[in-house]
mmCIF file of all heavy atoms in Angstrom:
data_model
loop_
_atom_site.group_PDB
_atom_site.id
_atom_site.type_symbol
_atom_site.label_atom_id
_atom_site.label_comp_id
_atom_site.label_asym_id
_atom_site.label_seq_id
_atom_site.Cartn_x
_atom_site.Cartn_y
_atom_site.Cartn_z
ATOM 1 N N MET Q 240 41.208 69.613 -92.506
ATOM 2 C CA MET Q 240 41.254 70.659 -91.498
ATOM 3 C C MET Q 240 42.038 70.200 -90.277
ATOM 4 O O MET Q 240 42.723 71.000 -89.657
ATOM 5 C CB MET Q 240 39.828 71.056 -91.126
ATOM 6 C CG MET Q 240 39.766 72.259 -90.257
ATOM 7 S SD MET Q 240 40.305 73.704 -91.163
ATOM 8 C CE MET Q 240 39.673 74.965 -90.168
ATOM 9 N N SER Q 241 41.932 68.910 -89.928
ATOM 10 C CA SER Q 241 42.652 68.438 -88.747
ATOM 11 C C SER Q 241 44.159 68.430 -88.986
ATOM 12 O O SER Q 241 44.930 68.567 -88.043
ATOM 13 C CB SER Q 241 42.173 67.048 -88.349
ATOM 14 O OG SER Q 241 42.522 66.116 -89.341
ATOM 15 N N ILE Q 242 44.588 68.263 -90.246
ATOM 16 C CA ILE Q 242 46.015 68.309 -90.546
ATOM 17 C C ILE Q 242 46.551 69.712 -90.286
ATOM 18 O O ILE Q 242 47.627 69.882 -89.717
ATOM 19 C CB ILE Q 242 46.284 67.876 -92.002
ATOM 20 C CG1 ILE Q 242 45.932 66.414 -92.178
ATOM 21 C CG2 ILE Q 242 47.719 68.131 -92.386
ATOM 22 C CD1 ILE Q 242 46.035 65.931 -93.609
ATOM 23 N N LEU Q 243 45.788 70.712 -90.669
ATOM 24 C CA LEU Q 243 46.208 72.091 -90.447
ATOM 25 C C LEU Q 243 46.321 72.397 -88.953
ATOM 26 O O LEU Q 243 47.286 73.033 -88.508
ATOM 27 C CB LEU Q 243 45.221 73.049 -91.111
ATOM 28 C CG LEU Q 243 45.532 74.524 -91.016
ATOM 29 C CD1 LEU Q 243 46.844 74.831 -91.732
ATOM 30 C CD2 LEU Q 243 44.412 75.335 -91.605
ATOM 31 N N ILE Q 244 45.380 71.922 -88.176
ATOM 32 C CA ILE Q 244 45.421 72.132 -86.729
ATOM 33 C C ILE Q 244 46.604 71.398 -86.118
ATOM 34 O O ILE Q 244 47.307 71.938 -85.257
ATOM 35 C CB ILE Q 244 44.089 71.688 -86.088
ATOM 36 C CG1 ILE Q 244 42.964 72.606 -86.558
ATOM 37 C CG2 ILE Q 244 44.191 71.680 -84.574
ATOM 38 C CD1 ILE Q 244 41.589 72.158 -86.165
ATOM 39 N N SER Q 245 46.863 70.187 -86.573
ATOM 40 C CA SER Q 245 48.006 69.425 -86.068
ATOM 41 C C SER Q 245 49.320 70.118 -86.405
ATOM 42 O O SER Q 245 50.226 70.170 -85.577
ATOM 43 C CB SER Q 245 48.001 68.025 -86.665
ATOM 44 O OG SER Q 245 46.853 67.330 -86.303
ATOM 45 N N LEU Q 246 49.423 70.646 -87.612
ATOM 46 C CA LEU Q 246 50.632 71.376 -87.996
ATOM 47 C C LEU Q 246 50.829 72.618 -87.143
ATOM 48 O O LEU Q 246 51.939 72.915 -86.694
ATOM 49 C CB LEU Q 246 50.571 71.752 -89.471
ATOM 50 C CG LEU Q 246 50.685 70.617 -90.480
ATOM 51 C CD1 LEU Q 246 50.419 71.135 -91.878
ATOM 52 C CD2 LEU Q 246 52.029 69.967 -90.391
ATOM 53 N N LEU Q 247 49.750 73.335 -86.906
ATOM 54 C CA LEU Q 247 49.829 74.547 -86.094
ATOM 55 C C LEU Q 247 50.241 74.226 -84.661
ATOM 56 O O LEU Q 247 51.104 74.908 -84.083
ATOM 57 C CB LEU Q 247 48.488 75.281 -86.111
ATOM 58 C CG LEU Q 247 48.414 76.577 -85.325
ATOM 59 C CD1 LEU Q 247 49.378 77.596 -85.917
ATOM 60 C CD2 LEU Q 247 47.002 77.110 -85.323
ATOM 61 N N ILE Q 248 49.660 73.197 -84.087
ATOM 62 C CA ILE Q 248 50.003 72.803 -82.719
ATOM 63 C C ILE Q 248 51.461 72.369 -82.647
ATOM 64 O O ILE Q 248 52.178 72.719 -81.708
ATOM 65 C CB ILE Q 248 49.057 71.692 -82.222
ATOM 66 C CG1 ILE Q 248 47.659 72.268 -82.010
ATOM 67 C CG2 ILE Q 248 49.578 71.065 -80.939
ATOM 68 C CD1 ILE Q 248 46.608 71.242 -81.701
ATOM 69 N N THR Q 249 51.918 71.628 -83.650
ATOM 70 C CA THR Q 249 53.309 71.181 -83.666
ATOM 71 C C THR Q 249 54.265 72.363 -83.729
ATOM 72 O O THR Q 249 55.263 72.406 -82.998
ATOM 73 C CB THR Q 249 53.558 70.245 -84.859
ATOM 74 O OG1 THR Q 249 52.644 69.153 -84.787
ATOM 75 C CG2 THR Q 249 54.968 69.727 -84.866
ATOM 76 N N VAL Q 250 53.981 73.324 -84.572
ATOM 77 C CA VAL Q 250 54.840 74.502 -84.683
ATOM 78 C C VAL Q 250 54.845 75.293 -83.378
ATOM 79 O O VAL Q 250 55.898 75.772 -82.933
ATOM 80 C CB VAL Q 250 54.391 75.378 -85.868
ATOM 81 C CG1 VAL Q 250 55.093 76.716 -85.856
ATOM 82 C CG2 VAL Q 250 54.639 74.658 -87.177
ATOM 83 N N LEU Q 251 53.701 75.420 -82.743
ATOM 84 C CA LEU Q 251 53.635 76.138 -81.469
ATOM 85 C C LEU Q 251 54.423 75.418 -80.376
ATOM 86 O O LEU Q 251 55.130 76.059 -79.587
ATOM 87 C CB LEU Q 251 52.182 76.328 -81.038
ATOM 88 C CG LEU Q 251 51.384 77.327 -81.867
ATOM 89 C CD1 LEU Q 251 49.918 77.323 -81.419
ATOM 90 C CD2 LEU Q 251 51.964 78.713 -81.740
ATOM 91 N N VAL Q 252 54.321 74.096 -80.328
ATOM 92 C CA VAL Q 252 55.055 73.330 -79.316
ATOM 93 C C VAL Q 252 56.556 73.435 -79.557
ATOM 94 O O VAL Q 252 57.331 73.607 -78.610
ATOM 95 C CB VAL Q 252 54.591 71.857 -79.314
ATOM 96 C CG1 VAL Q 252 55.514 70.985 -78.491
ATOM 97 C CG2 VAL Q 252 53.166 71.756 -78.778
ATOM 98 N N ILE Q 253 56.976 73.355 -80.813
ATOM 99 C CA ILE Q 253 58.402 73.489 -81.133
ATOM 100 C C ILE Q 253 58.905 74.864 -80.705
ATOM 101 O O ILE Q 253 59.969 74.989 -80.094
ATOM 102 C CB ILE Q 253 58.645 73.265 -82.635
ATOM 103 C CG1 ILE Q 253 58.372 71.820 -82.998
ATOM 104 C CG2 ILE Q 253 60.067 73.639 -83.015
ATOM 105 C CD1 ILE Q 253 58.325 71.578 -84.487
ATOM 106 N N GLY Q 254 58.155 75.898 -80.998
ATOM 107 C CA GLY Q 254 58.541 77.250 -80.600
ATOM 108 C C GLY Q 254 58.626 77.405 -79.095
ATOM 109 O O GLY Q 254 59.563 78.030 -78.577
ATOM 110 N N LEU Q 255 57.667 76.822 -78.382
ATOM 111 C CA LEU Q 255 57.670 76.913 -76.923
ATOM 112 C C LEU Q 255 58.864 76.177 -76.334
ATOM 113 O O LEU Q 255 59.541 76.689 -75.429
ATOM 114 C CB LEU Q 255 56.366 76.349 -76.355
ATOM 115 C CG LEU Q 255 56.237 76.330 -74.843
ATOM 116 C CD1 LEU Q 255 56.225 77.757 -74.303
ATOM 117 C CD2 LEU Q 255 54.991 75.585 -74.423
ATOM 118 N N VAL Q 256 59.154 74.990 -76.844
ATOM 119 C CA VAL Q 256 60.290 74.225 -76.335
ATOM 120 C C VAL Q 256 61.607 74.955 -76.623
ATOM 121 O O VAL Q 256 62.486 75.021 -75.767
ATOM 122 C CB VAL Q 256 60.289 72.797 -76.920
ATOM 123 C CG1 VAL Q 256 61.582 72.065 -76.581
ATOM 124 C CG2 VAL Q 256 59.094 72.011 -76.412
ATOM 125 N N LEU Q 257 61.734 75.519 -77.824
ATOM 126 C CA LEU Q 257 62.955 76.273 -78.138
ATOM 127 C C LEU Q 257 63.108 77.487 -77.222
ATOM 128 O O LEU Q 257 64.214 77.811 -76.780
ATOM 129 C CB LEU Q 257 62.949 76.700 -79.600
ATOM 130 C CG LEU Q 257 63.183 75.593 -80.621
ATOM 131 C CD1 LEU Q 257 62.996 76.131 -82.025
ATOM 132 C CD2 LEU Q 257 64.548 74.983 -80.445
ATOM 133 N N TYR Q 258 62.009 78.157 -76.926
ATOM 134 C CA TYR Q 258 62.058 79.302 -76.017
ATOM 135 C C TYR Q 258 62.486 78.856 -74.612
ATOM 136 O O TYR Q 258 63.326 79.500 -73.973
ATOM 137 C CB TYR Q 258 60.687 79.978 -75.960
ATOM 138 C CG TYR Q 258 60.590 81.048 -74.911
ATOM 139 C CD1 TYR Q 258 61.199 82.277 -75.095
ATOM 140 C CD2 TYR Q 258 59.889 80.823 -73.722
ATOM 141 C CE1 TYR Q 258 61.123 83.259 -74.126
ATOM 142 C CE2 TYR Q 258 59.812 81.797 -72.759
ATOM 143 C CZ TYR Q 258 60.427 83.015 -72.951
ATOM 144 O OH TYR Q 258 60.355 83.973 -71.987
ATOM 145 N N LEU Q 259 61.932 77.750 -74.145
ATOM 146 C CA LEU Q 259 62.274 77.274 -72.813
ATOM 147 C C LEU Q 259 63.724 76.814 -72.741
ATOM 148 O O LEU Q 259 64.389 77.006 -71.710
ATOM 149 C CB LEU Q 259 61.330 76.138 -72.401
ATOM 150 C CG LEU Q 259 59.882 76.560 -72.161
ATOM 151 C CD1 LEU Q 259 59.023 75.339 -71.879
ATOM 152 C CD2 LEU Q 259 59.792 77.554 -71.021
ATOM 153 N N VAL Q 260 64.236 76.237 -73.816
ATOM 154 C CA VAL Q 260 65.639 75.816 -73.831
ATOM 155 C C VAL Q 260 66.547 77.038 -73.751
ATOM 156 O O VAL Q 260 67.577 77.016 -73.068
ATOM 157 C CB VAL Q 260 65.942 74.977 -75.102
ATOM 158 C CG1 VAL Q 260 67.435 74.804 -75.318
ATOM 159 C CG2 VAL Q 260 65.261 73.620 -75.007
ATOM 160 N N ARG Q 261 66.174 78.112 -74.426
ATOM 161 C CA ARG Q 261 66.991 79.331 -74.370
ATOM 162 C C ARG Q 261 67.029 79.926 -72.968
ATOM 163 O O ARG Q 261 67.993 80.600 -72.616
ATOM 164 C CB ARG Q 261 66.450 80.367 -75.342
ATOM 165 C CG ARG Q 261 66.754 80.056 -76.767
ATOM 166 C CD ARG Q 261 66.364 81.195 -77.686
ATOM 167 N NE ARG Q 261 66.120 80.656 -79.001
ATOM 168 C CZ ARG Q 261 65.008 80.829 -79.699
ATOM 169 N NH1 ARG Q 261 64.038 81.567 -79.207
ATOM 170 N NH2 ARG Q 261 64.857 80.283 -80.872
ATOM 171 N N MET Q 262 65.987 79.681 -72.184
ATOM 172 C CA MET Q 262 65.916 80.245 -70.843
ATOM 173 C C MET Q 262 66.718 79.434 -69.819
ATOM 174 O O MET Q 262 66.976 79.921 -68.722
ATOM 175 C CB MET Q 262 64.451 80.329 -70.383
ATOM 176 C CG MET Q 262 63.575 81.198 -71.270
ATOM 177 S SD MET Q 262 64.133 82.890 -71.390
ATOM 178 C CE MET Q 262 63.653 83.489 -69.806
ATOM 179 N N LEU Q 263 67.118 78.211 -70.166
ATOM 180 C CA LEU Q 263 67.843 77.373 -69.215
ATOM 181 C C LEU Q 263 69.256 77.896 -68.997
ATOM 182 O O LEU Q 263 69.916 78.344 -69.934
ATOM 183 C CB LEU Q 263 67.925 75.933 -69.741
ATOM 184 C CG LEU Q 263 66.633 75.145 -69.756
ATOM 185 C CD1 LEU Q 263 66.874 73.797 -70.436
ATOM 186 C CD2 LEU Q 263 66.115 74.928 -68.360
ATOM 187 N N PRO Q 264 69.730 77.821 -67.760
ATOM 188 C CA PRO Q 264 71.098 78.282 -67.472
ATOM 189 C C PRO Q 264 72.123 77.193 -67.797
ATOM 190 O O PRO Q 264 72.697 76.560 -66.917
ATOM 191 C CB PRO Q 264 71.053 78.583 -65.975
ATOM 192 C CG PRO Q 264 70.025 77.652 -65.448
ATOM 193 C CD PRO Q 264 69.003 77.511 -66.539
ATOM 194 N N LEU Q 265 72.341 76.941 -69.075
ATOM 195 C CA LEU Q 265 73.276 75.918 -69.523
ATOM 196 C C LEU Q 265 74.381 76.543 -70.354
ATOM 197 O O LEU Q 265 74.288 77.695 -70.769
ATOM 198 C CB LEU Q 265 72.552 74.863 -70.371
ATOM 199 C CG LEU Q 265 71.479 74.025 -69.694
ATOM 200 C CD1 LEU Q 265 70.781 73.166 -70.713
ATOM 201 C CD2 LEU Q 265 72.081 73.160 -68.612
ATOM 202 N N ASP Q 266 75.403 75.749 -70.611
ATOM 203 C CA ASP Q 266 76.484 76.169 -71.493
ATOM 204 C C ASP Q 266 75.930 76.353 -72.905
ATOM 205 O O ASP Q 266 74.983 75.678 -73.314
ATOM 206 C CB ASP Q 266 77.576 75.101 -71.481
ATOM 207 C CG ASP Q 266 78.812 75.529 -72.227
ATOM 208 O OD1 ASP Q 266 79.100 76.738 -72.236
ATOM 209 O OD2 ASP Q 266 79.476 74.656 -72.800
ATOM 210 N N SER Q 267 76.512 77.265 -73.657
ATOM 211 C CA SER Q 267 75.977 77.575 -74.986
ATOM 212 C C SER Q 267 76.072 76.391 -75.939
ATOM 213 O O SER Q 267 75.202 76.216 -76.798
ATOM 214 C CB SER Q 267 76.686 78.784 -75.577
ATOM 215 O OG SER Q 267 78.051 78.495 -75.782
ATOM 216 N N GLN Q 268 77.096 75.558 -75.811
ATOM 217 C CA GLN Q 268 77.207 74.387 -76.680
ATOM 218 C C GLN Q 268 76.100 73.390 -76.400
ATOM 219 O O GLN Q 268 75.551 72.783 -77.320
ATOM 220 C CB GLN Q 268 78.568 73.720 -76.515
ATOM 221 C CG GLN Q 268 79.712 74.545 -77.049
ATOM 222 C CD GLN Q 268 81.041 73.856 -76.869
ATOM 223 O OE1 GLN Q 268 81.160 72.945 -76.059
ATOM 224 N NE2 GLN Q 268 82.038 74.291 -77.619
ATOM 225 N N ILE Q 269 75.756 73.211 -75.146
ATOM 226 C CA ILE Q 269 74.679 72.298 -74.782
ATOM 227 C C ILE Q 269 73.349 72.846 -75.294
ATOM 228 O O ILE Q 269 72.520 72.099 -75.828
ATOM 229 C CB ILE Q 269 74.643 72.074 -73.254
ATOM 230 C CG1 ILE Q 269 75.928 71.379 -72.800
ATOM 231 C CG2 ILE Q 269 73.423 71.261 -72.850
ATOM 232 C CD1 ILE Q 269 76.080 71.268 -71.314
ATOM 233 N N LYS Q 270 73.129 74.146 -75.149
ATOM 234 C CA LYS Q 270 71.898 74.759 -75.650
ATOM 235 C C LYS Q 270 71.763 74.562 -77.156
ATOM 236 O O LYS Q 270 70.696 74.231 -77.648
ATOM 237 C CB LYS Q 270 71.868 76.254 -75.341
ATOM 238 C CG LYS Q 270 71.466 76.590 -73.948
ATOM 239 C CD LYS Q 270 71.358 78.101 -73.816
ATOM 240 C CE LYS Q 270 71.116 78.501 -72.399
ATOM 241 N NZ LYS Q 270 70.996 79.942 -72.243
ATOM 242 N N ASN Q 271 72.868 74.788 -77.882
ATOM 243 C CA ASN Q 271 72.818 74.617 -79.334
ATOM 244 C C ASN Q 271 72.511 73.180 -79.708
ATOM 245 O O ASN Q 271 71.738 72.924 -80.634
ATOM 246 C CB ASN Q 271 74.142 75.053 -79.969
ATOM 247 C CG ASN Q 271 74.316 76.551 -79.951
ATOM 248 O OD1 ASN Q 271 73.353 77.296 -79.832
ATOM 249 N ND2 ASN Q 271 75.557 76.986 -80.054
ATOM 250 N N GLY Q 272 73.094 72.230 -78.997
ATOM 251 C CA GLY Q 272 72.825 70.821 -79.269
ATOM 252 C C GLY Q 272 71.377 70.466 -79.028
ATOM 253 O O GLY Q 272 70.749 69.772 -79.834
ATOM 254 N N VAL Q 273 70.828 70.940 -77.917
ATOM 255 C CA VAL Q 273 69.420 70.658 -77.599
ATOM 256 C C VAL Q 273 68.501 71.327 -78.612
ATOM 257 O O VAL Q 273 67.510 70.733 -79.047
ATOM 258 C CB VAL Q 273 69.095 71.104 -76.156
ATOM 259 C CG1 VAL Q 273 67.615 70.991 -75.873
ATOM 260 C CG2 VAL Q 273 69.895 70.292 -75.157
ATOM 261 N N GLN Q 274 68.829 72.544 -79.023
ATOM 262 C CA GLN Q 274 68.008 73.229 -80.013
ATOM 263 C C GLN Q 274 68.019 72.497 -81.350
ATOM 264 O O GLN Q 274 66.979 72.372 -81.999
ATOM 265 C CB GLN Q 274 68.496 74.663 -80.210
ATOM 266 C CG GLN Q 274 68.156 75.569 -79.051
ATOM 267 C CD GLN Q 274 68.722 76.966 -79.216
ATOM 268 O OE1 GLN Q 274 69.530 77.217 -80.102
ATOM 269 N NE2 GLN Q 274 68.306 77.869 -78.353
ATOM 270 N N ILE Q 275 69.160 71.965 -81.755
ATOM 271 C CA ILE Q 275 69.235 71.210 -83.004
ATOM 272 C C ILE Q 275 68.402 69.941 -82.907
ATOM 273 O O ILE Q 275 67.670 69.592 -83.844
ATOM 274 C CB ILE Q 275 70.710 70.895 -83.342
ATOM 275 C CG1 ILE Q 275 71.423 72.179 -83.746
ATOM 276 C CG2 ILE Q 275 70.813 69.847 -84.446
ATOM 277 C CD1 ILE Q 275 72.915 72.042 -83.881
ATOM 278 N N ILE Q 276 68.475 69.264 -81.763
ATOM 279 C CA ILE Q 276 67.679 68.047 -81.576
ATOM 280 C C ILE Q 276 66.196 68.363 -81.643
ATOM 281 O O ILE Q 276 65.421 67.647 -82.292
ATOM 282 C CB ILE Q 276 68.051 67.366 -80.245
ATOM 283 C CG1 ILE Q 276 69.468 66.807 -80.328
ATOM 284 C CG2 ILE Q 276 67.060 66.264 -79.890
ATOM 285 C CD1 ILE Q 276 70.024 66.336 -79.010
ATOM 286 N N VAL Q 277 65.764 69.437 -80.998
ATOM 287 C CA VAL Q 277 64.344 69.821 -81.010
ATOM 288 C C VAL Q 277 63.896 70.161 -82.433
ATOM 289 O O VAL Q 277 62.808 69.763 -82.863
ATOM 290 C CB VAL Q 277 64.100 71.008 -80.050
ATOM 291 C CG1 VAL Q 277 62.717 71.599 -80.239
ATOM 292 C CG2 VAL Q 277 64.294 70.570 -78.612
ATOM 293 N N ILE Q 278 64.719 70.867 -83.173
ATOM 294 C CA ILE Q 278 64.359 71.239 -84.543
ATOM 295 C C ILE Q 278 64.250 70.005 -85.426
ATOM 296 O O ILE Q 278 63.309 69.886 -86.221
ATOM 297 C CB ILE Q 278 65.371 72.253 -85.098
ATOM 298 C CG1 ILE Q 278 65.201 73.594 -84.385
ATOM 299 C CG2 ILE Q 278 65.210 72.426 -86.599
ATOM 300 C CD1 ILE Q 278 66.272 74.602 -84.685
ATOM 301 N N VAL Q 279 65.188 69.063 -85.281
ATOM 302 C CA VAL Q 279 65.136 67.846 -86.093
ATOM 303 C C VAL Q 279 63.890 67.034 -85.763
ATOM 304 O O VAL Q 279 63.188 66.554 -86.668
ATOM 305 C CB VAL Q 279 66.429 67.016 -85.891
ATOM 306 C CG1 VAL Q 279 66.284 65.623 -86.487
ATOM 307 C CG2 VAL Q 279 67.611 67.726 -86.490
ATOM 308 N N ILE Q 280 63.586 66.882 -84.482
ATOM 309 C CA ILE Q 280 62.378 66.150 -84.089
ATOM 310 C C ILE Q 280 61.135 66.869 -84.610
ATOM 311 O O ILE Q 280 60.181 66.234 -85.078
ATOM 312 C CB ILE Q 280 62.322 65.982 -82.555
ATOM 313 C CG1 ILE Q 280 63.418 65.020 -82.106
ATOM 314 C CG2 ILE Q 280 60.958 65.479 -82.103
ATOM 315 C CD1 ILE Q 280 63.588 64.932 -80.614
ATOM 316 N N GLY Q 281 61.132 68.190 -84.556
ATOM 317 C CA GLY Q 281 59.995 68.950 -85.073
ATOM 318 C C GLY Q 281 59.820 68.782 -86.568
ATOM 319 O O GLY Q 281 58.695 68.619 -87.060
ATOM 320 N N ILE Q 282 60.912 68.810 -87.318
ATOM 321 C CA ILE Q 282 60.818 68.626 -88.767
ATOM 322 C C ILE Q 282 60.313 67.233 -89.099
ATOM 323 O O ILE Q 282 59.467 67.063 -89.982
ATOM 324 C CB ILE Q 282 62.187 68.907 -89.420
ATOM 325 C CG1 ILE Q 282 62.496 70.395 -89.349
ATOM 326 C CG2 ILE Q 282 62.219 68.429 -90.870
ATOM 327 C CD1 ILE Q 282 63.896 70.760 -89.775
ATOM 328 N N ILE Q 283 60.800 66.234 -88.373
ATOM 329 C CA ILE Q 283 60.333 64.868 -88.619
ATOM 330 C C ILE Q 283 58.847 64.740 -88.323
ATOM 331 O O ILE Q 283 58.103 64.125 -89.093
ATOM 332 C CB ILE Q 283 61.157 63.867 -87.792
ATOM 333 C CG1 ILE Q 283 62.573 63.787 -88.346
ATOM 334 C CG2 ILE Q 283 60.515 62.479 -87.802
ATOM 335 C CD1 ILE Q 283 63.527 62.992 -87.492
ATOM 336 N N SER Q 284 58.381 65.348 -87.232
ATOM 337 C CA SER Q 284 56.959 65.255 -86.917
ATOM 338 C C SER Q 284 56.108 66.018 -87.935
ATOM 339 O O SER Q 284 55.016 65.572 -88.291
ATOM 340 C CB SER Q 284 56.683 65.755 -85.501
ATOM 341 O OG SER Q 284 56.952 67.130 -85.403
ATOM 342 N N LEU Q 285 56.611 67.152 -88.421
ATOM 343 C CA LEU Q 285 55.875 67.881 -89.459
ATOM 344 C C LEU Q 285 55.796 67.073 -90.748
ATOM 345 O O LEU Q 285 54.754 67.041 -91.413
ATOM 346 C CB LEU Q 285 56.535 69.232 -89.725
ATOM 347 C CG LEU Q 285 56.354 70.290 -88.651
ATOM 348 C CD1 LEU Q 285 57.207 71.513 -88.977
ATOM 349 C CD2 LEU Q 285 54.908 70.678 -88.506
ATOM 350 N N LEU Q 286 56.887 66.405 -91.099
ATOM 351 C CA LEU Q 286 56.873 65.574 -92.303
ATOM 352 C C LEU Q 286 55.939 64.375 -92.145
ATOM 353 O O LEU Q 286 55.328 63.932 -93.112
ATOM 354 C CB LEU Q 286 58.287 65.112 -92.630
ATOM 355 C CG LEU Q 286 59.243 66.195 -93.124
ATOM 356 C CD1 LEU Q 286 60.635 65.638 -93.306
ATOM 357 C CD2 LEU Q 286 58.734 66.829 -94.421
ATOM 358 N N ARG Q 287 55.807 63.862 -90.932
ATOM 359 C CA ARG Q 287 54.863 62.754 -90.707
ATOM 360 C C ARG Q 287 53.423 63.235 -90.901
ATOM 361 O O ARG Q 287 52.593 62.497 -91.445
ATOM 362 C CB ARG Q 287 55.046 62.191 -89.312
ATOM 363 C CG ARG Q 287 56.307 61.349 -89.192
ATOM 364 C CD ARG Q 287 56.457 60.723 -87.838
ATOM 365 N NE ARG Q 287 55.302 59.874 -87.554
ATOM 366 C CZ ARG Q 287 54.907 59.577 -86.332
ATOM 367 N NH1 ARG Q 287 55.537 60.052 -85.308
ATOM 368 N NH2 ARG Q 287 53.873 58.790 -86.147
ATOM 369 N N TYR Q 288 53.122 64.449 -90.462
ATOM 370 C CA TYR Q 288 51.771 64.975 -90.661
ATOM 371 C C TYR Q 288 51.471 65.210 -92.126
ATOM 372 O O TYR Q 288 50.337 65.093 -92.569
ATOM 373 C CB TYR Q 288 51.566 66.280 -89.892
ATOM 374 C CG TYR Q 288 51.366 66.092 -88.411
ATOM 375 C CD1 TYR Q 288 52.153 66.785 -87.506
ATOM 376 C CD2 TYR Q 288 50.416 65.225 -87.915
ATOM 377 C CE1 TYR Q 288 51.997 66.609 -86.145
ATOM 378 C CE2 TYR Q 288 50.255 65.037 -86.558
ATOM 379 C CZ TYR Q 288 51.043 65.732 -85.678
ATOM 380 O OH TYR Q 288 50.886 65.560 -84.344
ATOM 381 N N LEU Q 289 52.495 65.523 -92.884
ATOM 382 C CA LEU Q 289 52.307 65.756 -94.313
ATOM 383 C C LEU Q 289 52.386 64.454 -95.123
ATOM 384 O O LEU Q 289 52.376 64.492 -96.340
ATOM 385 C CB LEU Q 289 53.351 66.748 -94.824
ATOM 386 C CG LEU Q 289 53.230 68.157 -94.260
ATOM 387 C CD1 LEU Q 289 54.403 69.007 -94.705
ATOM 388 C CD2 LEU Q 289 51.918 68.788 -94.657
ATOM 389 N N ALA Q 290 52.488 63.319 -94.440
ATOM 390 C CA ALA Q 290 52.490 61.979 -95.031
ATOM 391 C C ALA Q 290 53.692 61.750 -95.924
ATOM 392 O O ALA Q 290 53.600 61.064 -96.945
ATOM 393 C CB ALA Q 290 51.206 61.706 -95.773
ATOM 394 N N VAL Q 291 54.825 62.337 -95.587
ATOM 395 C CA VAL Q 291 56.042 62.082 -96.324
ATOM 396 C C VAL Q 291 56.665 60.772 -95.812
ATOM 397 O O VAL Q 291 57.198 59.996 -96.575
ATOM 398 C CB VAL Q 291 57.040 63.250 -96.181
ATOM 399 C CG1 VAL Q 291 58.364 62.936 -96.845
ATOM 400 C CG2 VAL Q 291 56.427 64.509 -96.770
ATOM 401 N N PHE Q 292 56.578 60.555 -94.499
ATOM 402 C CA PHE Q 292 57.075 59.308 -93.905
ATOM 403 C C PHE Q 292 55.924 58.406 -93.610
ATOM 404 O O PHE Q 292 54.908 58.740 -93.165
ATOM 405 C CB PHE Q 292 57.845 59.587 -92.620
ATOM 406 C CG PHE Q 292 59.170 60.240 -92.845
ATOM 407 C CD1 PHE Q 292 59.512 61.393 -92.185
ATOM 408 C CD2 PHE Q 292 60.098 59.682 -93.721
ATOM 409 C CE1 PHE Q 292 60.743 61.989 -92.365
ATOM 410 C CE2 PHE Q 292 61.337 60.263 -93.906
ATOM 411 C CZ PHE Q 292 61.650 61.409 -93.230
#
């Protein structure tokens, strides 16, 4: 059950960070780069919770 809660919290945090990045007044290339970094970090953390790494 704690794995499910951890996964849910991780997905919510990733979504919140992506939303906040979209709200920043930055160049579109910088926003895309930051969004890709956040998604990669989120996928890695999700895979760690699933015991892949």
Side-chain angles (χ1 to χ4, degrees):
M240 189 67 163
S241 66
I242 294 174
L243 182 63
I244 294 171
S245 298
L246 290 172
L247 181 63
I248 290 172
T249 303
V250 170
L251 289 175
V252 168
I253 292 169
L255 178 65
V256 171
L257 287 174
Y258 172 74
L259 292 175
V260 167
R261 286 188 205 126
M262 300 301 286
L263 290 174
L265 296 174
D266 187 31
S267 64
Q268 291 180 341
I269 296 173
K270 280 185 187 181
N271 288 339
V273 173
Q274 287 176 350
I275 290 171
I276 292 170
V277 169
I278 290 171
V279 168
I280 291 172
I282 290 171
I283 290 171
S284 66
L285 287 173
L286 290 175
R287 285 183 59 205
Y288 284 127
L289 294 173
V291 175
F292 289 128

